[in-house]
């Protein structure tokens, strides 16, 4: 491959990668892939790709000069490997552009399952964070955590819940029940797992999977597959827009 063409393609790919990542950051869709605590590193990556593109752009003239003193046979021999290398580097950008960005939802639970447990959270010193969030401000993750690690669940019974999540009709549930769930993300979408709370609601069957809802009502307990899970005796179930940040972070 002609060095000038090869270098030009390298520059275009590096620039495209930088712009692609910057666009994901600015539009908020990078939330769909990784934990937000890594966003700073992604900005460093954006800057790094663009700096490399500028460096290669400046070096392109030197490549053209060197080509005048090289043998065409050598370039033909190396051309196939160079083309494959460029394609492999460009592939993530191509897939990112062609495949619409969307968060995990109820359709992904069939492969991953939904859990009634949540990981512990520690601070920088290694001490366990104390969950002191008021009931109405607790997320699904907060409630599941409390049910996992609270010794006396009777102290939680009757407390008011006000949570947002997507609808999932778990086949283990009875008629008039559904699961309100969220995916949690520790690092990236590869380690995401779904957690949920059971909801008692007479019109449960009318809610389609993946519909985002806000559920309000007192909390109770329910045994499901020998595990005690939080149950909301819903007083209202309101359809809402998908949150800008659909995931919860342990």
């Amino acid at each position: 491959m002609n060095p000038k063409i090869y270098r030009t393609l390298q520059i275009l790919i590096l620039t495209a990668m930088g712009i692609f990542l910057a666009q994901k950051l600015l539009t908020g869709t990078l939330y769909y892939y990784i934990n937000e605590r890594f966003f700073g590193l992604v900005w460093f990556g954006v800057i790094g790709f663009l700096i490399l593109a500028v460096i290669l752009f400046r070096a392109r003239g030197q490549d053209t000069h060197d080509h005048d003193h090289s043998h065409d046979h050598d370039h033909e021999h190396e051309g196939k490997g160079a083309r494959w290398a460029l394609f492999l580097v460009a592939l993530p950008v191509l897939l990112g552009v062609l495949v619409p960005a969307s968060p995990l939802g109820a359709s992904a639970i069939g492969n991953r399952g939904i859990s009634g447990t949540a990981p512990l959270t520690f601070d920088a010193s290694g001490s366990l964070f104390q969950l002191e969030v008021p009931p109405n401000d607790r997320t699904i993750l907060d409630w599941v955590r409390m049910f996992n690690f609270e010794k006396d669940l009777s102290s939680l019974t009757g407390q008011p819940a006000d949570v947002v999540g997507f609808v999932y009709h778990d086949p283990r549930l009875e008629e008039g029940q559904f699961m309100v769930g969220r995916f949690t993300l520790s690092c990236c979408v590869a380690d995401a797992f779904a957690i949920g709370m059971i909801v008692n609601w007479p019109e449960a069957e009318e809610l389609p999977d993946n519909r985002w809802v806000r559920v309000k009502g007192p909390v109770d307990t329910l045994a499901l597959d020998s595990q005690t899970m939080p149950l909301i005796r819903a007083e209202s179930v309101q359809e809402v827009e998908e949150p800008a940040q659909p995931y919860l972070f342990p």
Side-chain angles (χ1 to χ4, degrees):
M1 180 182 293
N2 184 292
K4 187 175 182 180
I5 296 175
Y6 180 74
R7 191 66 73 204
T8 299
L9 291 175
Q10 283 184 314
I11 294 168
L12 290 175
I13 292 171
L14 288 170
T15 303
M17 292 178 74
I19 293 174
F20 173 76
L21 290 176
Q23 185 266 342
K24 293 297 181 185
L25 283 162
L26 295 173
T27 59
T29 52
L30 196 64
Y31 282 121
Y32 300 166
Y33 305 106
I34 63 174
N35 191 307
E36 58 188 351
R37 69 174 180 266
F38 299 116
F39 280 18
L41 294 176
V42 177
W43 275 118
F44 277 114
V46 170
I47 295 170
F49 284 131
L50 296 180
I51 288 175
L52 285 173
V54 172
I55 292 173
L56 290 179
F57 179 78
R58 292 180 175 178
R60 189 173 56 167
Q62 181 63 37
D63 287 337
T64 303
H65 175 74
D66 293 342
H67 175 66
D68 294 336
H69 300 84
S70 63
H71 297 287
D72 292 337
H73 174 74
D74 292 335
H75 290 305
E76 183 66 26
H77 181 71
E78 298 171 0
K80 291 184 178 180
R83 285 193 290 269
W84 272 109
L86 289 173
F87 173 76
L88 291 176
V89 174
L91 186 59
V93 178
L94 293 174
L95 292 176
V97 172
L98 296 175
V99 179
S102 61
L104 296 173
S107 58
I109 294 178
N111 297 326
R112 299 166 181 257
I114 191 165
S115 175
T117 62
L120 293 167
T121 302
F122 296 86
D123 62 20
S125 66
S127 300
L128 181 65
F129 277 123
Q130 297 299 315
L131 189 59
E132 297 178 351
V133 182
N136 282 320
D137 294 333
R138 292 173 190 158
T139 64
I140 293 173
L141 177 61
D142 294 331
W143 281 108
V144 170
R145 246 195 216 125
M146 294 193 75
F147 266 69
N148 290 166
F149 305 108
E150 179 63 49
K151 295 180 180 180
D152 182 15
L153 293 180
S154 63
S155 64
L156 302 177
T157 302
Q159 291 188 9
D162 183 355
V163 298
V164 173
F166 57 81
V167 174
Y168 174 64
H169 291 281
D170 193 306
R172 299 171 296 174
L173 299 181
E174 300 177 358
E175 185 176 351
Q177 295 180 335
F178 70 92
M179 196 85 77
V180 57
R182 294 287 285 267
F183 273 90
T184 66
L185 210 66
S186 296
C187 178
C188 63
V189 72
D191 63 31
F193 66 95
I195 56 172
M197 300 174 72
I198 301 167
V199 180
N200 270 2
W201 183 244
E203 302 172 13
E205 301 304 319
E206 299 178 12
L207 296 170
D209 278 347
N210 229 37
R211 179 69 52 82
W212 283 84
V213 293
R214 181 178 184 180
V215 181
K216 297 181 180 181
V219 170
D220 204 340
T221 61
L222 180 70
L224 186 67
D225 290 345
S226 302
Q227 180 183 12
T228 301
M229 295 186 64
L231 175 142
I232 304 175
R233 299 195 179 278
E235 296 174 344
S236 69
V237 176
Q238 178 185 3
E239 295 184 11
V240 296
E241 294 293 325
E242 179 182 294
Q245 173 47 276
Y247 301 137
L248 298 175
F249 300 104

